[in-house]
Amino acid sequence: MISTMLQSFICLGVVSLLWVIVGFSLAFGDSYGFTLNGQHYGLIGNPFQFAFMDQVGVLPHAKMASTIPFILFALFQMKFAVITPAIITGSFAERVRFISYLLFICLFTLFIYTPLCHMVWHPNGLLGTYFGVKDFAGGTVVHMSAGFAALAGVLVLGKRKNSEHIPTNIPFVLLGTGMLWFGWFGFNAGSALAANATATHGVCHHHRCVGLSHAYLDFL
């Protein structure tokens, strides 16, 4: 449990630094990709455009964040980048060394997360513009990438050597679940980039999904 907590916590520091230095540029910089029938489709962003948050000011961005300060948009997107490798930690528990985990989250953020984020959420991204992929609050960019990475990690690393586990502190589990639930309201509502009807629907949809999942678990 302590190892998993530390791995999640360290993501805040490591991924935040990567995001400020080059991650935001790779995800939302001007697209590098190809042009087809007069339309440009991006695969990855210009790594130097917003390096060290240069040219990321308080004024809104016309195409990516027209309703909020651009710096706020960058920090909001950083939250998604931080949480994605942290989700994978459950599959790594008792399977990898800490230094290996640090290396993994750096490589994952730069070579998996940022190009996927660019292709889905950038105005010229390949998956969003050509394939019509819609991702309101991270179902594709965050959860699918983390899920497949966790599955790949389990397949590569194999079973845990210690198969016996003592149940953890149940009140802590409930506390963590409550904090996570509250945070998810911010994910969904904040993805509207405004306090409007879309944000409200995002919160309501999340509330229904969580309620249904709890009912299903109770049934099981």
Side-chain angles (χ1 to χ4, degrees), residues 109-133:
T109 300
L110 295 177
F111 295 104
I112 301 296
Y113 181 84
T114 53
L116 181 60
C117 179
H118 184 86
M119 287 188 282
V120 174
W121 281 335
H122 191 275
N124 294 326
L126 173 66
L127 295 179
T129 55
Y130 185 79
F131 292 99
V133 173

Side-chain angles (χ1 to χ4, degrees), residues 181 185 203-219:
W181 195 349
F185 282 123
V203 172
C204 292
H205 175 70
H206 165 71
H207 187 79
R208 288 197 300 270
C209 290
V210 172
L212 288 173
S213 64
H214 283 199
Y216 177 69
L217 290 174
D218 291 340
F219 172 76

Side-chain angles (χ1 to χ4, degrees), residues 58-91:
V58 296
L59 296 178
H61 190 283
K63 293 183 178 180
M64 288 184 283
S66 61
T67 57
I68 60 174
F70 194 34
I71 184 65
L72 178 59
F73 173 78
L75 295 176
F76 180 70
Q77 289 293 336
M78 183 177 71
K79 181 177 68 171
F80 285 96
V82 167
I83 197 63
T84 303
I87 294 174
I88 311 172
T89 57
S91 68

Side-chain angles (χ1 to χ4, degrees), residues 169-187 206-207 210 214:
N169 190 307
I170 300 303
F172 280 1
V173 174
L174 296 177
L175 176 63
T177 302
M179 294 172 65
L180 180 65
W181 195 349
F182 180 81
W184 249 316
F185 282 123
F187 267 94
H206 165 71
H207 187 79
V210 172
H214 283 199

Side-chain angles (χ1 to χ4, degrees), residues 25-35 40-47 49 118-119 122-126 129:
S25 297
L26 290 171
F28 292 98
D30 290 340
S31 294
Y32 289 152
F34 61 94
T35 301
H40 185 72
Y41 300 105
L43 301 175
I44 193 69
N46 180 353
Q49 185 172 0
H118 184 86
M119 287 188 282
H122 191 275
N124 294 326
L126 173 66
T129 55

Side-chain angles (χ1 to χ4, degrees), residues 91-104:
S91 68
F92 284 169
E94 300 181 354
R95 282 190 167 102
V96 297
R97 286 182 169 184
F98 186 71
I99 188 65
S100 301
Y101 173 73
L102 290 178
L103 178 61
F104 170 82

